[in-house]
Amino acid sequence: MKKPVVDKDKCQGHMVCVALAPDVFEIDDNGKSEVKDPEGAEESKIQQAIDGCPVDAISWESE
Ligand code: SF4
């Protein structure tokens, strides 16, 4: 299974990912996105979040 990972060094907290997939991504105390549930949305929805991130901070990681 592949799962999304957020590069916190790149993330600028635009929250596009949270808006698109609120059950997968959340904003941490530092204003950065993190994955709370990699299976919280369909793959296509997560892909939308990956494509929608303005700084390309999200990518797939294979387990
Ligand atoms: S869309 Fe990208 S920059 Fe914005 S919070 Fe999500 S990972 Fe961070």
Side-chain angles (χ1 to χ4, degrees):
M1 195 201 111
K2 59 182 185 177
K3 59 179 186 180
V5 288
V6 175
D7 182 341
K8 292 198 181 198
D9 290 335
K10 281 189 182 175
C11 175
Q12 312 240 321
H14 294 294
M15 288 188 66
V16 177
C17 56
V18 179
L20 283 167
D23 293 329
V24 177
F25 303 98
E26 66 183 356
I27 298 297
D28 69 13
D29 293 341
N30 297 314
K32 307 278 187 173
S33 172
E34 65 185 10
V35 175
K36 63 175 174 177
D37 181 4
E39 297 178 46
E42 289 182 15
E43 208 172 289
S44 60
K45 194 49 113 176
I46 296 173
Q47 184 63 52
Q48 277 183 32
I50 290 175
D51 295 341
C53 176
V55 294
D56 282 336
I58 316 169
S59 58
W60 290 112
E61 180 183 79
S62 296
E63 279 185 321

